[in-house]
DNA sequence: TATTGTTATACTCTATAACTATA
DNA sequence: TATAGTTATAGAGTATAACAATA
């Protein structure tokens, strides 16, 4: 049944053939073809590669972009709150913020109410860079995904991903 | 529009409210809610976590499982071929094979035709472990995904992932 | 005593250069 | 000279423990 269906994965390796002549570059992926986790991982890597390429002019990784979006939408939060909301561990968030702050995209300000906390704020430059990044993401990255998937499949995919959020 | 739709991501942080009273633990994920790459990454991490948990009895990672499947379906291939077919770089495949070979799940045999090549073969033990792993994946991991998604969405998701393979 | 930001550290993945033995 | 397997190494990403300042 792996041979009865023509998947993109099998198309990569070589053209379809009626006789199963073992050409050197054709692999049988077996149950990996139907394993959601495997296909998911490969797709995710490609999507991140494309994101990085599309936003290369602004030198922002997907993770950095997600931090800037969270800072814009949730001003006045401290480091721990932003980090955990994004699934980033607090120790690992320190160097991430260092990198963004050294580029003057955000700044840490001591909370007047709790001097242990650093409230993280977008700078004007950060707001400007984020605005340009959003435009690149929308017009290049997401546009390319839309062209490949179509509006219907894009919406369907988001709906399924939302289901998986409770996994 | 981010607030007009109830996503699982927003449900995680807190219950729905009509008035936008800023509860301490509610975050606005902004355009991340609609960013395919972001949702993809989170979902993929959850799926891999579940895979590892379901196959924990056999101590196989998703990557190791994929290698064993490829060895079973493509016997007589050398290291470079298996590695590149899985998107693994040749240097990094060495230690992966070392780990599997030290557990006697596979073995390297010198090719009689080209003494540079190591043909990688599943051992009987490897075949046995793989067989048990496939059963765990099917009855626990994939079964859990099926229960959450339903047969229809599972098939739809695989079809969309196949589209993304050409991304 | 508990929490925030931080340092140190370690382990996994990923990526590149260069070596060896074969061809 | 080119290729297969390997070593060494470096960089991200992720994880835990512990410390100083503050509550």
């Amino acid at each position: 049944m792996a041979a009865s269906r023509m998947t993109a994965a099998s198309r990569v390796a070589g053209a379809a053939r009626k006789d199963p002549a073992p050409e050197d570059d054709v692999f049988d992926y077996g149950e990996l073809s139907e394993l959601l986790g495997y296909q998911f991982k490969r797709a995710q890597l490609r999507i991140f590669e494309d994101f990085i390429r599309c936003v290369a002019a602004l030198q922002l990784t997907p993770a950095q972009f997600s931090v800037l979006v969270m800072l814009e939408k949730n001003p006045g939060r401290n480091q721990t709150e932003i980090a955990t909301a994004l699934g980033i561990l607090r120790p690992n968030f320190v160097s991430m913020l260092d990198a963004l702050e050294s580029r003057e995209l955000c700044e840490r300000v001591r909370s007047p109410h709790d001097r242990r906390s650093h409230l993280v704020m977008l700078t004007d430059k950060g707001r400007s860079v984020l605005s340009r990044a959003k435009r690149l993401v929308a017009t290049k990255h997401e546009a390319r995904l839309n062209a490949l998937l179509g509006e219907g499949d894009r919406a369907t995919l988001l709906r399924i991903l939302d289901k998986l959020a409770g996994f």
Side-chain angles (χ1 to χ4, degrees), chain A residues 2-7 10-27:
Chain A
S4 67
R5 210 204 306 184
M6 190 60 184
T7 67
S10 61
R11 276 193 300 276
V12 170
R17 291 187 56 124
K18 283 294 178 54
D19 58 319
E23 297 189 33
D24 290 351
D25 54 349
V26 177
F27 286 83

Side-chain angles (χ1 to χ4, degrees), chain A residues 68-78 81-82 85 120:
Chain A
L68 295 184
V69 169
M70 287 299 280
L71 296 185
E72 181 187 50
K73 300 287 183 182
N74 307 274
R77 298 288 195 157
N78 66 28
E81 289 170 327
I82 297 291
V120 192

Side-chain angles (χ1 to χ4, degrees), chain A residues 28-45:
Chain A
D28 182 355
Y29 285 78
E31 21 281 301
L32 297 183
S33 305
E34 305 255 321
L35 188 59
L36 277 177
Y38 181 78
Q39 300 299 141
F40 233 84
K41 170 89 172 194
R42 304 302 292 258
Q44 191 256 304
L45 288 176

Side-chain angles (χ1 to χ4, degrees), chain A residues 63-104:
Chain A
Q64 289 174 322
F65 178 79
S66 71
V67 171
L68 295 184
V69 169
M70 287 299 280
L71 296 185
E72 181 187 50
K73 300 287 183 182
N74 307 274
R77 298 288 195 157
N78 66 28
Q79 291 186 205
T80 298
E81 289 170 327
I82 297 291
T84 55
L86 286 171
I88 301 170
L89 291 170
R90 279 63 81 218
N92 298 332
F93 197 52
V94 174
S95 58
M96 280 195 67
L97 271 192
D98 286 347
L100 293 174
E101 199 173 18
S102 72
R103 291 165 62 184
E104 296 178 348

